[in-house]
Structure formats: C-alpha cells, structure tokens
Amino acid sequence: MLLKNTSQRWMGMLVALFLLILFMCASIVYGYTDTNWKMALNAFTNFNGSNEHIIITSVRLPRSLIAAAVGASLAIAGVLMQTLTKNPLASPGIFGVNAGAGFAVVVSVTIFSVGNLSVFTWIAFLGAAISAISVYFIGSFGREGLTPMKLTLAGAAMTAMFSSFTQGLLVINEAALEQVLFWLAGSVQGRKLEILASVLPYLLIGWAGSWLISTRMNVLSMGDDVAKGLGINTVFLKVIVGILVVLLSGGAVAVAGPIGFIGIVIPHIARSIIGIDHRWVIPLSGLLGGILLVTADILARYVIIGEEVPVGIMTAIIGTPFFIYIARKGFNAS
C-alpha cells in the first residue's frame, strides 16, 4: 500500500518507529536465558545483580541497540547506492566495503596476530574506507569520468579481489579462520556498547548527511543530465554520497561484520510503502532496516537451541527470496 499524502507518511513513520522499539524490547526480553518482561523492567529500575539482570543489561541491551544501528545504517547506505548506480540490486557490497573490511581483519589476524575485537572495529573501518576509495579511483578512469556502470564494475572487481585474497590467507592459516569466522559471517553477539560508541559519531554523521542531501538525491535519480541542467554538481554530489556510504556501511561492518541483503531489500520495501521521495525513503529505510536486523537476531537465537547462529545467515535466509524477486521483476531503483 502506497502512502501518498504527508499525514499518511507521518503515520507510517510513527508505526515503523513503534515497531522498531517493540522489537528492540523483545530482543532484550527473549533469548536462551529464560526472562520475562517484568524481569527486564526490574533490571533497569531495581537492579539486583542476579544473572538474569546482568544478561539483560550487559548483553541483550547492547545487542539490541547495535542491531538497530547497524540495520539502519546498511539500509540507508543501500538507498544511496541504488540511486547513485541506477542499479536496483546495488548495496554497500558494491563498493567492496564488506570484502575490504573482511580482508583487513584477516590480514591483521594472520600477519600481525591481532585478537582484540575492539581493534577489529578500527581495522575493519580502515579496510572498508580503502576499498571504497579504490573503487572510486578506478571508476573515475576514462574520458567519461565516474559513471554508474564503471562504478559497479569497479566495485565487483574489488570485491572479487579482496574475497580471493581473504580466502587465500585463511587457507594458509587455519588458526586465524577460527578467530574471524564468526565475525566474517556477520554477528551482533558479544558486542559491547563501547564498540558501538566508538563508531556512533560516524554513523550519526552518515544518517544526518543522507537526509540533508535527500532533495539532491531526488534530482540525481532523474539522471545526470537532468541534475546538471538543474545546477547540481554531480561529481561533488557523488563524492559526498561515497563518503556517506563509507561512514554508514564501514561503521556497520566494523561493528557487526559483513551482513548482507539489508541494503538490497529494505530500500525497495520502503519505496513500495512511502514512494520515491528520498526525504521519506531514507528515514523509513533506516527504521525498517533496524526492524529487520533486530528481528533476524531474535530468530537467530532459536534456530539451534543452545547455540548462536550468526545474524548474517538469518538475513541471507530472509533476503534471498526477495533478492530473486527483485532480480526477476527488475524494479526501478530511482
């Protein structure tokens, strides 16, 4: 159902916000350790130091907040990438962000013996940024300059290269594979608020910046020629979009590892609900992305009782059918 007028769109945003808060609360309450809503409330209002209260405040609360922030960031980055490349299947992975971050972490483990998860965060951020800059540099070669097709091809090439290097290093050093496998699969388990706090400023800049350029993204979605005719500096705008994608997806990957499909699926769902105006699509995508990842994380706790399934696997299970549907229908990303 498409929400056409402003009041309907605001109502849709409020419903999405309510659902996000509801699922975040459910993430705090439900898990392998048996707790209930009253116990969760007491953990914040009358903490008694019990095992259940410690799990709720120290494990599940950070996990819920991180899942919401990561999901929102990946979804918004997906909106920007799909508009920039005019490709309905584009996602942060098209920049090679996931592959670059994963390769940087594997190099740090196999060559420099780094084992601290907090250090992984900054190493992954650095790898993501280097990969994105490389894609932009390669995609700018030629007389036409930076075009959506060249950007897509450059991203695919960098992704393939970094993935191959990562697999090669892990084959050589099997001990490193055990250390980074859970991170490479994408997970919010065991992450602390300190890790989120370290990248939150960059995520906030990405969220705010994406909304501030939303009007210009509307013009860019009409095509480069139209945007230039209306006085938009398309090269500068594309650079800004690239920086925002690095901040959003690089920060998300640094915290939770490479998590796929959110950046592909959510922008299409948001457009089907609220239209193609980026002033509405971007914030709604953020809310829906948070809902999807928080929900996937809850489901991941119950797939195998007593064991944790990486949330990246759950998003793949949820997102693959929709990905195939988009590919067959050939949705317009503008």
Side-chain angles (χ1 to χ4, degrees):
M1 182 183 70
L2 182 63
L3 305 179
K4 296 182 179 180
N5 59 53
T6 301
S7 60
Q8 289 178 340
R9 289 174 172 176
W10 274 114
M11 183 60 66
M13 296 286 292
L14 291 175
V15 169
L17 177 61
F18 171 77
L19 290 176
L20 176 59
I21 295 173
L22 178 64
F23 282 108
M24 289 177 66
C25 292
S27 176
I28 294 173
V29 173
Y30 298 112
Y32 181 67
T33 300
D34 186 25
T35 56
N36 54 50
W37 291 85
K38 182 178 180 181
M39 191 179 296
L41 179 62
N42 288 334
F44 297 104
T45 60
N46 189 24
F47 184 79
N48 59 19
S50 65
N51 183 57
E52 289 80 5
H53 281 193
I54 292 174
I55 290 174
I56 289 170
T57 57
S58 302
V59 178
R60 291 185 185 167
L61 176 62
R63 187 169 179 169
S64 175
L65 294 172
I66 289 172
V70 169
S73 300
L74 292 176
I76 293 174
V79 174
L80 299 180
M81 286 304 305
Q82 289 175 14
T83 301
L84 178 65
T85 63
K86 308 298 188 296
N87 182 351
L89 299 179
S91 70
I94 199 172
F95 252 18
V97 170
N98 290 0
F103 176 68
V105 170
V106 170
V107 167
S108 69
V109 173
T110 57
I111 298 178
F112 300 103
S113 301
V114 175
N116 189 305
L117 188 60
S118 298
V119 178
F120 279 0
T121 300
W122 292 106
I123 293 173
F125 215 148
L126 178 63
I130 292 174
S131 179
I133 292 171
S134 300
V135 169
Y136 250 82
F137 180 73
I138 296 172
S140 299
F141 278 122
R143 287 181 295 180
E144 301 88 354
L146 188 66
T147 65
M149 179 58 70
K150 290 167 65 177
L151 187 65
T152 301
L153 293 175
M158 294 298 293
T159 298
M161 183 186 73
F162 281 127
S163 296
S164 298
F165 288 165
T166 298
Q167 293 172 9
L169 287 174
L170 292 177
V171 168
I172 295 172
N173 190 337
E174 294 184 4
L177 176 61
E178 296 182 5
Q179 286 184 264
V180 300
L181 184 59
F182 208 75
W183 183 88
L184 288 173
S187 176
V188 294
Q189 179 191 9
R191 308 304 197 259
K192 297 182 179 180
L193 279 180
E194 290 78 5
I195 297 177
L196 175 61
S198 64
V199 300
L200 186 59
Y202 304 101
L203 298 182
L204 290 173
I205 292 172
W207 298 342
S210 298
W211 189 81
L212 289 174
I213 66 168
S214 58
T215 302
R216 293 177 180 268
M217 294 299 290
N218 287 337
V219 179
L220 184 64
S221 67
M222 301 177 187
D224 285 9
D225 292 337
V226 174
K228 291 177 182 178
L230 293 174
I232 300 294
N233 186 334
T234 56
V235 174
F236 178 73
L237 180 59
K238 290 176 181 179
V239 171
I240 294 298
V241 171
I243 293 173
L244 293 175
V245 169
V246 170
L247 292 175
L248 291 169
S249 54
V253 171
V255 174
I259 296 175
F261 292 99
I262 291 178
I264 297 176
V265 171
I266 292 300
H268 291 281
I269 296 176
R271 292 188 194 100
S272 69
I273 295 173
I274 213 161
I276 61 174
D277 189 340
H278 286 77
R279 293 174 299 174
W280 297 96
V281 172
I282 287 174
L284 181 61
S285 294
L287 294 173
L288 295 179
I291 291 171
L292 176 58
L293 191 55
V294 171
T295 303
D297 183 47
I298 295 173
L299 295 175
R301 305 172 194 180
Y302 294 98
V303 174
I304 303 175
I305 301 300
E307 296 290 338
E308 282 283 353
V309 175
V311 72
I313 295 177
M314 292 304 301
T315 58
I317 293 173
I318 296 170
T320 298
F322 197 88
F323 177 87
I324 296 172
Y325 176 73
I326 296 170
R328 290 178 62 86
K329 295 287 287 185
F331 279 19
N332 186 354
S334 63

